[in-house]
Amino acid sequence: MNWERRLYLTAHPFAYPLLRGIARRGAIVRVPGLGVVVNDAALARDVLMDGETFRKDGPGSPGDLWTPVLGPSVLLNMEGEAHRRLRRRLTDLFVPSYTEELCDRVLAEPLERLGGRLRRGEAVDLVDAARVMAAAVISEVIGLDLRTEAAHRDLFEQGERVVSMVSLRTRRLSPAQVRRAREVLDPLGDAAEKAYLGDESTVMGRMRALGLSRDEARGAAGAFFLTGTETVATFIPRLVALLHDHGRLGQAAADPALLDRAIEEAMRVTTPTPVMLRSVHRPVAVGGVAVRPGDRVLIATHNCCRALGPFDPGRPHPPELRRLWFGAGPHFCIGYPLAMAQIRRVARAVLGAAPLVITRRAAARGVLIPTYRHLAVRSESAPAGEAA
């Protein structure tokens, strides 16, 4: 049973078959109603590297989607010199030394609880555990004072309600959807602004020290919240499931180098950003197809990544594919170090209880990023306990 395919079909029963069908029509295809679809990794990287021609602030781009919610000054919807200035100021936020320290501090207790449950032989739902820990990290980034797992679950669910408004076909949110999103994000922005005015050892306080305005800091906090929780929380259960289903759990638990390769390979297979959008601002040819100003370019990241084949941690990635799921060029994900720091810690804690068996799982419906509704694992080296 191909669980990854099942996850995509459950999340996007109509759009996913269409997306995969378009992949069979060529490296780049003009599709009425969608735009120009790029299915080739090398062409996708060319588009992403050219921020002057292919932009995020034009018709049909992410700017159409998120500017009404987050405001005009976030990296998700900016281009040109303004984008470069803001990105330069944000670059030092998530240097590896800071993200490592932040994750060590925030995740120490949750990981100890997770490891203890597995050692006692309990069946642990990795979906719930990953959501709680992802929300704990992002709440620290934003400056929220949340102390309980229940509060972290609630925070994650708030973000999930916003992100679930978007499908693979969504061009913009309706006024009602914008209002609902603002009802979630405005209180978080207030908390972020309070942290911005406080201690410079916090992420938000460091933004003030780096010269960001209050509005820029609020927008950044909202963007981090929307993009930072879902990616990590959905990926961890899928990583463990892929290792389990391909008989690699024991190897990854015993070999840290293999685990690092498996994480990169699982990122390719799961493709946390299935599509990326750009708006064309000047005429150019891409892969022999002419695109014009105003055209919408849909980079089918999932098609680009899956073209390499099934999950295989031993196979190297070609240069054009390298971390394409996090973008490339001027918009490469600024939160990449933070996401990877979280993923490595949780993966090591889970695999530390190997050998593991999956006791139950089900695919989630009504989500943007395909994921499990639940995925329970139990350590076979521990006495059997009660299911989570």
Side-chain angles (χ1 to χ4, degrees):
M1 180 185 301
N2 187 331
W3 271 96
E4 275 299 312
R5 178 173 171 79
R6 175 178 288 194
L7 294 182
Y8 266 97
L9 285 172
T10 303
H12 303 290
F14 302 108
Y16 184 65
L18 173 63
L19 187 72
R20 296 300 288 152
I22 293 171
R24 294 190 288 270
R25 295 182 56 189
I28 181 166
V29 185
R30 186 178 289 276
V31 180
L34 279 181
V36 178
V37 181
V38 177
N39 298 307
D40 175 80
L43 292 179
R45 187 168 292 275
D46 288 344
V47 169
L48 293 171
M49 295 296 290
D50 184 356
E52 297 302 319
T53 302
F54 304 97
R55 300 169 63 102
K56 298 185 78 170
D57 59 355
S61 73
D64 269 0
L65 197 61
W66 294 118
T67 297
V69 175
L70 297 171
S73 299
V74 294
L75 295 178
L76 293 174
N77 58 3
M78 297 174 69
E79 292 290 358
E81 183 55 33
H83 174 265
R84 287 189 286 271
R85 279 198 308 271
L86 181 57
R87 188 175 178 93
R88 279 196 298 268
R89 284 181 286 177
L90 288 171
T91 296
D92 290 339
L93 273 182
F94 297 125
V95 294
S97 59
Y98 185 79
T99 59
E100 298 290 332
E101 183 277 329
L102 186 152
C103 289
D104 282 341
R105 172 164 43 85
V106 174
L107 296 179
E109 289 186 14
L111 288 177
E112 180 55 37
R113 288 195 296 269
L114 174 65
R117 293 180 64 195
L118 289 170
R119 289 190 295 272
R120 291 192 297 272
E122 295 182 36
V124 176
D125 182 5
L126 292 185
V127 173
D128 179 68
R131 288 178 168 198
V132 167
M133 286 186 274
V137 170
I138 207 67
S139 69
E140 177 73 11
V141 170
I142 294 173
L144 300 173
D145 186 20
L146 304 182
R147 306 294 180 88
T148 68
E149 288 191 355
H152 290 135
R153 286 190 188 95
D154 181 65
L155 178 65
F156 184 89
E157 289 167 4
Q158 290 181 56
E160 191 174 43
R161 285 196 292 271
V162 176
V163 175
S164 65
M165 296 176 188
V166 180
S167 74
L168 295 182
R169 296 172 293 174
T170 304
R171 287 178 176 263
R172 57 179 59 87
L173 299 178
S174 70
Q177 289 175 321
V178 170
R179 285 194 299 273
R180 290 199 294 272
R182 294 296 297 268
E183 287 170 359
V184 170
L185 294 173
D186 283 351
L188 300 183
D190 293 341
E193 185 172 338
K194 182 178 179 181
Y196 167 89
L197 296 171
D199 189 348
E200 288 189 7
S201 67
T202 66
V203 173
M204 301 309 300
R206 291 172 68 210
M207 287 189 191
R208 187 183 80 249
L210 290 169
L212 274 76
S213 69
R214 291 192 193 191
D215 287 343
E216 288 172 334
R218 285 181 68 109
F224 293 155
F225 173 65
L226 290 178
T227 60
T229 50
E230 292 266 340
T231 298
V232 173
T234 59
F235 176 73
I236 289 168
R238 293 169 77 181
L239 166 66
V240 173
L242 280 166
L243 289 169
H244 173 276
D245 294 347
H246 288 80
R248 297 293 194 108
L249 267 174
Q251 293 173 287
D255 184 352
L258 175 60
L259 176 58
D260 283 345
R261 293 197 302 274
I263 290 172
E264 292 289 336
E265 174 67 351
M267 281 281 184
R268 177 189 70 83
V269 170
T270 61
T271 325
T273 310
V275 300
M276 300 179 190
L277 302 176
R278 294 295 187 270
S279 177
V280 178
H281 276 240
R282 59 188 182 193
V284 70
V286 181
V289 174
V291 295
R292 302 175 294 274
D295 276 350
R296 182 184 193 232
V297 175
L298 187 150
I299 299 169
T301 325
H302 183 72
N303 290 344
C304 298
C305 292
R306 291 307 300 267
L308 190 62
F311 179 76
D312 181 2
R315 178 177 51 213
H317 293 170
E320 65 273 14
L321 198 58
R322 181 174 170 79
R323 295 173 184 160
L324 188 66
W325 43 92
F326 279 114
H331 286 282
F332 183 80
C333 178
I334 200 167
Y336 165 77
L338 182 63
M340 297 306 294
Q342 295 176 72
I343 289 165
R344 290 191 183 102
R345 277 161 179 74
V346 180
R348 288 168 188 159
V350 173
L351 296 184
L356 298 167
V357 61
I358 295 176
T359 61
R360 64 187 177 97
R361 58 175 144 180
R365 299 182 184 278
V367 293
L368 175 61
I369 302 177
T371 188
Y372 287 96
R373 181 161 57 89
H374 55 252
L375 184 125
V377 300
R378 180 173 57 79
S379 173
E380 292 188 300
S381 64
E386 295 183 0

